[in-house]
Amino acid sequence: MAEEFQITDEMRAQIGKESEPWEYEVTTTSVRMYARGIGSDDPIHYDVDFAKSQGFRSIVAPLGYIGTPVFLPGKNDPTFGFPRREGGPRLNIPFRGLLDGGTETEYFDVICAGDTLVETSHLADLKLRESGRPMLFVTNEAVYKNKETGKVVAKQRLTSIHM
Amino acid sequence: MAQVYFEDVKVGDEVPQLKKNCSTQQLVLWAAGSGDFYQIHYDKDFAQRTGLKGLIVHGALKNAFLGQLLHDWAGEKGHVRKFGCAYRGMDEPDQDILCRGVVTKTYQDGGKNYVELDVWTEKPDGAKTSPGTAVVTLPSKN
């Protein structure tokens, strides 16, 4: 089935369909955990007093970290943690293999521990590589707003590869 | 690290390289930090069942390494406005990953000093596994 896969009009109709909003939390613990994960030793990611002395509200999220989606059993993917929201794009993809294809992030403000962000996303693009083993490139665009101020703090473009 | 200023930067300059080498423990730490628990990054049998040779480093972790490269270079008065990369090649645990960046354009707009860069991760044989771009604003000396 996968060898005969084609992007259907029904799938293309999902492009642009926006998801319901979901909250992403940025906490002191999650910022430190992410910073440990990348191997940073910059105190701006660990030491609240130091971060405040530099003019920030709290410790600063490392680049690439835009909070952790609130996890509700049965409503989030157990492997990847992302929310499985009602509404939003639905794709019936027959491929079992999955790889990350790329990430691009644009920042409009600094993200700090204590921030709660509200994310919405939409399917931005579908591309099929037809030569060789078929690969479906799925690109989603997400917008993150600070829950308190309503200001857009980041936009992210994520591509996944299904094969 | 000393603050880099816009006036000191020119096209072709390379930012200080950042060398990484991920243990499987680091991959698990990052999984905990990011919430991405895809088994191909810590369960070798699972990874091999999907057709991979073995465990691989998360693409988004390499993206975050490039973020750290830029954060360290921009300094406390610089700002990373945009960065990203494509995951074109796989990297394995216990293998050096060199994070690099080269300035491709400098300009001023709206009172800000912009620097554009090509960024990438590189395997020990020189192959670029995560090519991308970045936009950073830097302070002026004046």
Side-chain angles (χ1 to χ4, degrees), chain A residues 37-38 42 79 101 103 105 107, chain B residues 20 37 71 81 83 85 87:
Chain A
I38 66 172
D42 190 333
T79 298
T103 310
T105 309
Y107 286 93
Chain B
K20 296 290 186 178
F37 291 98
H71 168 85
R81 305 282 171 179
F83 81 106
C85 64
Y87 309 129

Side-chain angles (χ1 to χ4, degrees), chain A residues 37-140:
Chain A
I38 66 172
S40 171
D41 58 6
D42 190 333
I44 205 87
H45 304 310
Y46 296 95
D47 185 332
V48 174
D49 290 339
F50 176 80
K52 286 183 175 176
S53 77
Q54 300 297 303
F56 298 103
R57 301 182 294 282
S58 183
I59 51 176
V60 175
L63 294 171
Y65 180 61
I66 316 183
T68 302
V70 169
F71 190 93
L72 300 172
K75 293 196 172 181
N76 294 65
D77 185 279
T79 298
F80 298 101
F82 56 73
R84 291 171 169 164
R85 287 169 273 208
E86 299 297 321
R90 284 282 181 273
L91 297 173
N92 185 17
I93 298 171
F95 305 116
R96 292 182 64 194
L98 175 65
L99 288 172
D100 215 342
T103 310
E104 184 180 84
T105 309
E106 187 171 10
Y107 286 93
F108 302 94
D109 204 353
V110 176
I111 297 169
C112 292
D115 292 353
T116 298
L117 309 177
V118 179
E119 180 257 10
T120 52
S121 64
H122 67 269
L123 178 64
D125 195 25
L126 290 171
K127 276 192 186 137
L128 183 65
R129 190 195 76 167
E130 297 185 61
S131 59
R133 183 180 178 182
M135 290 183 175
L136 178 65
F137 292 75
V138 179
T139 301
N140 285 287

Side-chain angles (χ1 to χ4, degrees), chain B residues 80-105:
Chain B
V80 178
R81 305 282 171 179
K82 190 174 183 179
F83 81 106
C85 64
Y87 309 129
R88 297 274 173 77
M90 295 179 192
D91 289 276
E92 298 157 14
D94 302 315
Q95 168 208 77
D96 285 347
I97 299 172
L98 199 57
C99 305
R100 301 181 65 183
V102 170
V103 175
T104 56
K105 187 177 179 182

